[in-house]
Amino acid sequence: MSLAQSSTDVQQQREKRAPKAKPTASGSNDGVSYGRGNGGGQPKTIGSGKFSGRQVGGGRRDQIWGTAFYGSGYTYSNPGSSVVGRGFPFGYWPMCPGPYTYPYYGSQEFCPWDASDRPGGVLSYVQVNCGACTAAASTNPNSLAAFYVVGDKESVNDMATQLRESPCNADVGAVTDFNNSIPVEQYLQFYRASSFALALSSYQNVAANVSNAPDLGQLPAAIPDGTNTTFLSCLNNAIGSQLLIANASDTLVEQRKLKPIYDALDSGSYKAAIQTCNKLLKKQPQHETIRALKSLALLRANKAEEAIQLCDEILASKPTDDTVLGIMQHVLKHLDRTPEITAMFEDAFKKQPGNEELGAQTFMSHIRVGSWKNAQVIALKLFKSFKQPKYLFWSIMSAVLQAQNAGGVNPGMTDNAPILNRNWITFLSLIDSTFDVIKLNESQSKSETDSVAPATDSEGAGPPPSEAKSTPTSTEGNGEVDPELTPKPTPHPELPLEPQALIDGLRELFERLAKEDGLKERGGHLASLQLEKRVRAREEGQGNSVSDTLISLIKQYFNNFSDKTCCFEDLKPYVASLKDDELASWLTFLKEQDDARDLSTPAGLARLINVFKLQRFSSTSGRSEANEQTDVATYLKAYFEGLPVGKRPWKDLPETELQPADDLAVLAANALVSAWVMTRKETYLHQALVVLEYASSQSKQNYQFRVLAVRIYRLLAANGPALSHYRTMDVKQVQTDTLSHLILSRGSTYSLATVGDVGMTQECITASDIYNQNSSDTADMIIKAFQFEKYSQITEFVEFEDRLDNSLQRDLTRL
């Protein structure tokens, strides 16, 4: 149960609240101050003491309310009700709730109640009674039940003062030492991450009893009848609005102090940033954040020696602050001292082993440098400390990467088999425990459903016999399922063992699928083609004669899908399997389709393009210069006849779209290049460029025109026009690895004169960017894959990085 707070009352009391309290003197957590402000800000990390490494502060006032259960109200740290290992969002320790000899939700860390180092002093309480409830006592004694405000002595004293001045009409007693006086079952509401509470003497929350801890499945008890809920609501709002919490003022002051430095760095005013740092360091010469920012500013101002000297001094102090570590990570990365980033986080994590965020950063630093073994060790340590399943996945993935990068799959797997086995055993045990919880919840839900199910009447009302019989029931209460009532799987016909029978069955299946799909899907038709191709290869391997089924299916497929641009690519592997006599029949078939051409519609144009492509693919042998010239004339005639199709009312394409007739221009250019290969007459290359330049003007986004033009211009040693077409393609990122060879091959032909091929040198630099960025950017992507638990992508990123590192084009570009 969580008491509902009135936003209006809270706002009114906030407006009347007293000035912020002074910082507590006893047991303060790492210099945090407290007051009645709104809190918030960035949490700080405790630098020393028994809670070193945990975070403190950052909790906001609107997050102050918990529930009736101890361990509630946390704004960060590990989930659950146990307070073990958690931080202090509002600056105070959780309460030590009762006189128990064994832990209650992990409270042993903060016991006994009179610990001398508790922030705010020893646990205390004050009794609060309703001053206007005496008249109602005759009707219900619960109206006179006493309330208790429980917490550290400083907070209780301050709250007693606030309640006396509040409009609640409260009778507030004297502050008394806690001394385990109030049973945990009487706590009505916890506040401030379970460090403060409101109890009611008439309240008995059985679910909070020690014997039930930590059973979170129970609901808290209801508020006793007769309790003055108006008074209770007033107390709840007063506590929520006036209770002392960690101030954000320290963080805000720090931010205001550092803001000019950050602004100067962002604007590129590095000299101003250095001057501001020097001014602040005169007052605080050992301020780690300012020193780290100065090191970054010096580096960006090209004062490398001073930056390195200051960087080494900061690293020698082994910083643990998150902000300093983040800044130093940038500095070391720019200095190309990546291994030292890992060492820095390692040292910080050793000093603060309870800092989960710092542990995760240490793991990521190992991932960045490819130290999979050390990353796996850190991940296992995180899993054992914080029990988060993702850390176990991190460990398993690190072991997998070890295996893949250990000089081959088999050696790596052999060396890392014990590691993988241990991780998988831990992982499977975690899965088993999870399923046990699921099964328990399902059985509880089933029992609850059975208990509230309506009973059938004497006339047999209830579910139909068929429905009742479909539910498995146990026999004689022994928990065994009646086999007669267990649903049996539908038997499937066994596949035939004879090869021919199997082939016939598959043919029938694929024919049925093709018939069902019609012309909407190509899957069934392609499956039939693939089957016949494999059957043909099998028959030829056995020396048997082959049927003409394949050629029939190819013709059928063409008739069905020749109006799709993918038809040629679909049929290529099957046309290549045809014999000479079948090819002759196939070419005759294509000639008939050519004679029936229709260039007035996009579908007719696509069909003709597929005819031309298949004719050219099927008749590669015995071609001559005359054949190529004839084909060029045919392709260009069809191109100019089909060009208007892209400008018809129903196909009015914008400049960003490709023209339907583009492939005809590509065919013509390829035919001209083939003629050049046969004769070595440059005239054919010039003619091909004319075709491509004109086609590019009609279809500005067709990359095939650009690629062909670049290659032909390079053949003619015209590097300027080739570079112009290459830049028009706007090649970016990894495309430079796969396409830059078009323009950068045969670099010895470049002219380095003032009016020569100077632009080629710039392209070499641009093409090298992807290789320079590979090590850092790919590492960042791997880290993000771990953070967002996209484990299937991690090996792909690693493989991508390896391919770029071993790219032949990379070495050629550098040469």
Side-chain angles (χ1 to χ4, degrees):
M1 174 193 62
S2 178
L3 296 177
Q5 61 272 19
S6 168
S7 59
T8 304
D9 294 342
V10 171
Q11 182 63 30
Q12 290 175 351
Q13 293 197 42
R14 284 182 185 174
E15 293 173 355
K16 298 178 181 179
R17 64 175 174 256
K20 295 180 180 178
K22 295 181 180 180
T24 54
S26 56
S28 60
N29 280 322
D30 213 50
V32 176
S33 63
Y34 306 92
R36 287 189 291 277
N38 291 323
Q42 292 295 321
K44 298 177 65 175
T45 301
I46 300 176
S48 60
K50 63 181 179 180
F51 299 128
S52 174
R54 300 192 194 182
Q55 291 185 307
V56 58
R60 304 191 310 272
R61 184 161 296 277
D62 60 353
Q63 300 171 321
I64 202 170
W65 283 273
T67 67
F69 287 107
Y70 183 74
S72 62
Y74 276 82
T75 63
Y76 53 76
S77 300
N78 52 302
S81 62
S82 176
V83 296
V84 172
R86 285 185 162 185
F88 311 97
F90 300 95
Y92 291 89
W93 296 359
M95 297 167 50
C96 181
Y100 307 119
T101 57
Y102 50 89
Y104 181 77
Y105 293 110
S107 59
Q108 68 274 13
E109 284 192 319
F110 311 103
C111 290
W113 65 269
D114 56 351
S116 59
D117 55 347
R118 177 183 297 276
V122 300
L123 286 181
S124 307
Y125 73 92
V126 64
Q127 181 174 330
V128 181
N129 292 95
C130 175
C133 298
T134 308
S138 58
T139 58
N140 196 319
N142 285 337
S143 62
L144 294 179
F147 289 89
Y148 300 98
V149 173
V150 190
D152 62 277
K153 177 165 285 189
E154 185 175 41
S155 297
V156 172
N157 272 318
D158 184 78
M159 185 52 59
T161 302
Q162 300 303 318
L163 291 177
R164 291 188 184 101
E165 299 174 356
S166 72
C168 297
N169 193 11
D171 292 334
V172 183
V175 175
T176 308
D177 287 348
F178 179 61
N179 199 21
N180 299 324
S181 304
I182 302 173
V184 71
E185 294 84 3
Q186 291 185 3
Y187 288 114
L188 191 65
Q189 175 75 43
F190 282 96
Y191 305 86
R192 209 176 58 182
S194 298
S195 63
F196 200 84
L198 176 64
L200 178 61
S201 60
S202 62
Y203 184 59
Q204 290 295 318
N205 183 17
V206 180
N209 190 281
V210 178
S211 61
N212 293 324
D215 182 5
L216 301 181
Q218 299 190 53
L219 295 175
I223 299 175
D225 293 337
T227 302
N228 190 323
T229 55
T230 302
F231 181 66
L232 173 59
S233 178
C234 186
L235 288 179
N236 180 48
N237 289 326
I239 294 172
S241 62
Q242 301 295 315
L243 185 59
L244 296 175
I245 61 174
N247 287 326
S249 57
D250 295 341
T251 303
L252 295 177
V253 169
E254 188 78 4
Q255 290 175 351
R256 286 196 292 268
K257 183 192 302 180
L258 301 179
K259 188 175 184 300
I261 305 176
Y262 285 112
D263 290 343
L265 288 171
D266 291 339
S267 62
S269 303
Y270 304 128
K271 184 177 180 181
I274 295 172
Q275 291 174 348
T276 306
C277 289
N278 290 334
K279 181 179 179 181
L280 294 175
L281 286 173
K282 288 182 180 179
K283 299 179 180 179
Q284 295 176 285
Q286 298 303 318
H287 196 294
E288 286 188 337
T289 305
I290 299 175
R291 296 176 72 204
L293 288 171
K294 181 180 177 180
S295 176
L296 181 61
L298 288 169
L299 183 64
R300 294 184 177 179
N302 295 322
K303 297 181 179 181
E305 293 184 2
E306 296 180 50
I308 292 172
Q309 181 180 355
L310 184 55
C311 173
D312 291 339
E313 292 176 2
I314 297 171
L315 292 178
S317 66
K318 297 184 178 180
T320 59
D321 184 77
D322 291 341
T323 304
V324 176
L325 291 173
I327 298 171
M328 293 308 300
Q329 184 175 4
H330 285 289
V331 173
L332 292 172
K333 188 175 179 181
H334 284 291
L335 291 173
D336 198 21
R337 293 165 59 175
T338 307
E340 294 186 48
I341 298 177
T342 304
M344 178 182 67
F345 279 108
E346 283 272 13
D347 292 337
F349 189 44
K350 287 177 182 177
K351 294 175 69 174
Q352 298 183 2
N355 191 328
E356 183 177 2
E357 179 62 27
L358 190 54
Q361 290 290 338
T362 305
F363 171 84
M364 296 305 176
S365 68
H366 284 296
I367 293 296
R368 183 178 297 279
V369 297
S371 180
W372 314 122
K373 184 176 181 180
N374 292 331
Q376 186 222 359
V377 172
I378 297 296
L380 277 179
K381 187 182 296 185
L382 288 170
F383 176 69
K384 292 177 182 178
S385 300
F386 304 103
K387 308 301 180 185
Q388 293 288 343
K390 71 175 181 179
Y391 297 136
L392 182 58
F393 283 109
W394 288 8
S395 176
I396 294 172
M397 201 65 225
S398 300
V400 171
L401 293 172
Q402 285 183 67
Q404 292 181 346
N405 292 272
V409 175
N410 291 333
M413 291 300 293
T414 301
D415 296 341
N416 292 280
I419 298 173
L420 288 171
N421 288 338
R422 286 197 300 269
N423 281 307
W424 278 113
I425 290 171
T426 307
F427 172 68
L428 291 175
S429 64
L430 178 65
I431 294 295
D432 289 340
S433 62
T434 303
F435 274 109
D436 289 341
V437 174
I438 294 174
K439 290 176 181 177
L440 177 61
N441 291 337
E442 288 178 347
S443 62
Q444 290 177 349
S445 300
K446 184 177 183 302
S447 61
E448 292 174 1
T449 303
D450 293 342
S451 63
V452 299
T456 58
D457 56 26
S458 58
E459 296 181 359
S466 60
E467 294 181 10
K469 194 171 183 179
S470 64
T471 304
T473 59
S474 59
T475 58
E476 300 181 1
N478 59 4
E480 298 180 1
V481 177
D482 188 349
E484 295 297 328
L485 300 179
T486 304
K488 296 180 175 57
T490 304
H492 296 281
E494 294 184 0
L495 292 175
L497 298 179
E498 292 294 330
Q500 189 58 46
L502 178 60
I503 292 172
D504 293 339
L506 289 174
R507 280 173 175 160
E508 181 181 352
L509 171 63
F510 294 152
E511 287 176 5
R512 187 175 74 252
L513 291 175
K515 184 177 180 181
E516 292 175 357
D517 292 342
L519 301 181
K520 296 181 180 179
E521 300 290 342
R522 305 174 357 252
H525 302 273
L526 289 172
S528 296
L529 284 167
Q530 184 66 20
L531 174 63
E532 293 304 327
K533 180 184 176 183
R534 295 190 178 189
V535 169
R536 170 169 292 207
R538 176 176 176 272
E539 294 297 333
E540 290 177 348
Q542 296 177 353
N544 300 329
S545 60
V546 295
S547 64
D548 59 352
T549 307
L550 182 60
I551 183 65
S552 300
L553 289 175
I554 291 175
K555 293 178 180 179
Q556 180 182 345
Y557 188 89
F558 183 88
N559 289 330
N560 290 333
F561 301 106
S562 59
D563 59 342
K564 298 183 182 297
T565 55
C566 60
C567 179
F568 168 67
E569 297 294 337
D570 289 345
L571 291 180
K572 272 178 63 176
Y574 309 112
V575 172
S577 301
L578 296 179
K579 294 186 174 182
D580 292 341
D581 57 335
E582 291 176 321
L583 279 175
S585 173
W586 171 241
L587 289 171
T588 302
F589 171 79
L590 292 176
K591 183 65 171 62
E592 295 172 356
Q593 304 300 317
D594 185 4
D595 295 339
R597 69 175 65 179
D598 177 16
L599 298 180
S600 61
T601 63
L605 183 57
R607 185 175 294 107
L608 180 62
I609 291 173
N610 283 317
V611 168
F612 287 157
K613 287 182 177 181
L614 289 167
Q615 283 178 333
R616 190 167 184 82
F617 178 75
S618 304
S619 58
T620 54
S621 60
R623 299 189 63 82
S624 64
E625 181 183 4
N627 295 140
E628 299 296 353
Q629 290 176 339
T630 302
D631 285 348
V632 170
T634 302
Y635 299 151
L636 288 178
K637 182 175 182 297
Y639 174 72
F640 286 107
E641 290 179 0
L643 198 57
V645 173
K647 302 178 181 179
R648 299 284 170 84
W650 63 85
K651 198 71 173 177
D652 190 11
L653 296 176
E655 288 188 355
T656 55
E657 295 292 331
L658 304 182
Q659 292 291 333
D662 282 352
D663 283 354
L664 292 169
V666 174
L667 285 169
N670 278 322
L672 288 167
V673 172
S674 295
W676 171 79
V677 171
M678 295 176 186
T679 64
R680 295 296 170 176
K681 295 178 181 179
E682 289 188 3
T683 304
Y684 291 122
L685 295 182
H686 296 158
Q687 292 174 359
L689 286 174
V690 171
V691 172
L692 293 172
E693 292 288 0
Y694 178 80
S696 297
S697 67
Q698 300 299 311
S699 185
K700 300 182 185 302
Q701 303 299 322
N702 192 309
Y703 75 95
Q704 289 181 297
F705 296 156
R706 307 287 181 185
V707 170
L708 276 173
V710 168
R711 298 299 292 166
I712 295 173
Y713 276 123
R714 291 302 312 282
L715 289 172
L716 295 172
N719 293 329
L723 182 59
S724 176
H725 275 285
Y726 179 78
R727 288 177 173 173
T728 303
M729 290 193 292
D730 195 20
V731 175
K732 297 178 179 178
Q733 299 298 325
V734 74
Q735 291 175 333
T736 57
D737 181 63
T738 56
L739 295 176
S740 61
H741 70 92
L742 296 172
I743 195 70
L744 298 180
S745 60
R746 299 194 300 170
S748 60
T749 63
Y750 299 159
S751 170
L752 300 180
T754 307
V755 293
D757 303 319
V758 181
M760 293 296 186
T761 306
Q762 181 60 40
E763 285 304 317
C764 287
I765 298 173
T766 303
S768 300
D769 288 344
I770 182 63
Y771 308 113
N772 299 331
Q773 297 171 4
N774 177 37
S775 57
S776 59
D777 290 355
T778 307
D780 291 339
M781 297 306 296
I782 295 173
I783 288 173
K784 288 184 181 296
F786 271 104
Q787 290 175 336
F788 294 104
E789 302 184 64
K790 303 295 184 182
Y791 302 110
S792 62
Q793 299 178 357
I794 293 174
T795 54
E796 296 176 3
F797 287 134
V798 173
E799 182 182 2
F800 174 78
E801 182 178 21
D802 290 341
R803 288 193 175 188
L804 282 182
D805 285 341
N806 297 288
S807 170
L808 178 61
Q809 181 61 28
R810 171 192 180 184
D811 296 335
L812 292 175
T813 302
R814 290 181 174 179
L815 290 175

